[in-house]
Amino acid sequence: MKNLDIDQLLQEIFDDGPEFSVKQRFEDKITEYGISKTKALKLLNIDKDVFAEILDGTAKQPNLIHIVKVAEFLDIDVHKFIKMVLKNQSSDNIASIDRARKVKFLMKNFDVKALTKRGFFDSGDDIDHLVQKVLSYFGFDSIAEYESQVVEPLYSRSKRPFSDKMKDFWVRSAYQTFGLINNPNSYDRELLKDTLVKIKPYSQDVNNGLYIVSRALYNAGLTVIFQDYFETTHVRGATFNINGKPCIVITDYLKKYPNLWFTLLHELHHVLFDYETVISNNFHLSDDQDLFLIEEKANSFARDYFLPIEGFHYIKHYINNPYMVERFAKEQEIHPSLIYSFYTWYQNELYGKNFYGAFKEHYPTCKSAVSKLNPITWKEESIKDASKKIKEVFELK
């Protein structure tokens, strides 16, 4: 007997298919063999009541050995016969099988506890509601459709541990969003380079700067979206290759405004200088577990773009004078919070001093900075609805 594909089997019993009468097939076979029903069951060593329960679907736990013997007697492929038997089960048995299938689907693909904590699931939801939430969010009508169309696994490049489920979810969300947005502009690397040198001053405009820059990048064939940061993933940003075009995700890592701009420039470095590697892997996650790209080069690129070390050595003498910091920030054409942010990094890197708790009053909130980008927070909208709104934002005339 060939190996049974349990996933396929469970999927097929819920698919519509031609009706097949096992009882009629049995009657035809005993007529063909010229034996009675009693004789057939005696030869098969199956009690007539047990046989009736198998055919009627009333057996709560059909004996697999009996099912295999009947399948052989009826000259039916065992896989097909099991499917017939399962399809013929009572409504209660079918419901229990369906529940098991849904539980496996959720446990295999999602960290339900973590997603509930983030507000994606409601704590009181039953299995049916949890599954429906996932399917609605990703835009699928059934588990079978989800499993046939979602790339699996997107994140894994090796055996994936349990903790990667949230990372997979985050990646799938971005992957589906970029696919639905489907930037119509051709990727123009030269236009991207021209746009890059003009980005810095827009960091000064907290409410509109990121939005304006993202629209300019969209016209260069590069799509930027914002997704909430998942604490367990350690993913601060990501670069994707979707339909042959670069796409970037930025997050509210550490909930600090300067990190939005730092992450954007970090990912733009990957687009400009590491894109062939991104293409070969479909995407690159900027996290603390990266094995494929040299993250420090991208970090240095972003730091030097906003505040090279010479700027730090100048401003460190005046860092406690808000007036001097603001004036210096205007000279550098950046928001003052970036001065404070890079100052704390340089102090730690060069002198081992921790200033990360300082200057909080000078940091704008991320919420106002990304609001016009229709941020994906996983609370209410489906990916389809969110992608439509993002596309409208980028293509607004």
Side-chain angles (χ1 to χ4, degrees), residues 192-259:
L192 172 59
K193 290 163 65 176
D194 291 341
T195 303
L196 179 66
V197 299
K198 303 172 185 176
I199 288 176
K200 188 188 296 186
Y202 290 97
S203 68
Q204 300 171 100
D205 186 347
V206 174
N207 295 319
N208 301 294
L210 200 58
Y211 159 72
I212 294 171
V213 168
S214 296
R215 286 196 64 183
L217 293 172
Y218 189 80
N219 291 330
L222 190 157
T223 307
V224 177
I225 66 170
F226 174 88
Q227 287 192 160
D228 270 359
Y229 174 70
F230 276 167
E231 292 79 3
T232 57
T233 65
H234 305 287
V235 178
R236 292 162 288 180
T239 300
F240 288 73
N241 171 50
I242 308 294
N243 298 327
K245 300 173 186 177
C247 301
I248 287 175
V249 187
I250 58 176
T251 75
D252 54 346
Y253 175 65
L254 298 181
K255 309 297 181 184
K256 293 182 178 180
Y257 175 74
N259 287 334

Side-chain angles (χ1 to χ4, degrees), residues 134-141 145 149 176 382-384:
V134 168
L135 296 179
S136 297
Y137 176 69
F138 284 102
F140 298 116
D141 294 325
E145 184 182 7
Q149 295 192 32
Q176 296 288 99
S382 67
I383 289 180
K384 182 178 181 180

Side-chain angles (χ1 to χ4, degrees), residues 25-193:
R25 179 64 172 252
F26 182 76
E27 293 295 332
D28 292 342
K29 279 298 177 184
I30 60 176
T31 299
E32 177 185 339
Y33 298 149
I35 57 176
S36 65
K37 176 182 178 180
T38 302
K39 182 65 174 179
L41 294 180
K42 184 175 182 180
L43 291 172
L44 292 172
N45 195 24
I46 300 176
D47 183 83
K48 66 177 182 179
D49 293 334
V50 171
F51 181 73
E53 289 177 349
I54 292 175
L55 297 193
D56 294 339
T58 57
K60 293 183 178 180
Q61 294 182 338
N63 186 299
L64 179 60
I65 300 300
H66 289 338
I67 290 175
V68 172
K69 289 193 293 185
V70 173
E72 290 296 327
F73 178 78
L74 299 180
D75 195 19
I76 301 174
D77 178 79
V78 173
H79 185 281
K80 292 181 179 179
F81 186 63
I82 292 176
K83 182 178 68 173
M84 295 173 195
V85 172
L86 292 177
K87 274 180 171 286
N88 201 34
Q89 288 294 297
S90 66
S91 58
D92 288 343
N93 284 359
I94 288 292
S96 67
I97 295 171
D98 189 38
R99 178 181 173 80
R101 180 179 65 141
K102 291 175 178 176
V103 168
K104 189 200 79 166
F105 169 70
L106 288 170
M107 296 301 103
K108 176 183 177 182
N109 296 291
F110 308 100
D111 187 335
V112 176
K113 182 178 180 180
L115 287 172
T116 301
K117 183 178 180 180
R118 286 305 304 255
F120 181 78
F121 292 132
D122 291 330
S123 58
D125 282 348
D126 59 19
I127 293 297
D128 288 333
H129 283 96
L130 295 178
V131 171
Q132 188 55 49
K133 171 66 176 180
V134 168
L135 296 179
S136 297
Y137 176 69
F138 284 102
F140 298 116
D141 294 325
S142 66
I143 291 175
E145 184 182 7
Y146 176 97
E147 292 179 335
S148 66
Q149 295 192 32
V150 172
V151 178
E152 172 63 33
L154 277 172
Y155 169 68
S156 303
R157 299 185 182 100
S158 60
K159 291 184 178 179
R160 63 184 196 169
F162 178 82
S163 60
D164 282 345
K165 289 179 184 177
M166 289 297 283
K167 194 171 289 187
D168 276 351
F169 180 89
W170 192 92
V171 170
R172 285 192 184 110
S173 179
Y175 198 93
Q176 296 288 99
T177 301
F178 287 128
L180 288 170
I181 293 174
N182 193 23
N183 190 334
N185 301 299
S186 299
Y187 171 49
D188 187 333
R189 190 172 187 271
E190 293 305 311
L191 180 56
L192 172 59
K193 290 163 65 176

Side-chain angles (χ1 to χ4, degrees), residues 325-343:
V325 172
E326 185 171 347
R327 191 179 77 172
F328 183 63
K330 287 182 179 179
E331 292 174 358
Q332 300 299 310
E333 296 186 294
I334 60 177
H335 192 274
S337 64
L338 275 80
I339 300 291
Y340 291 112
S341 179
F342 287 113
Y343 168 83

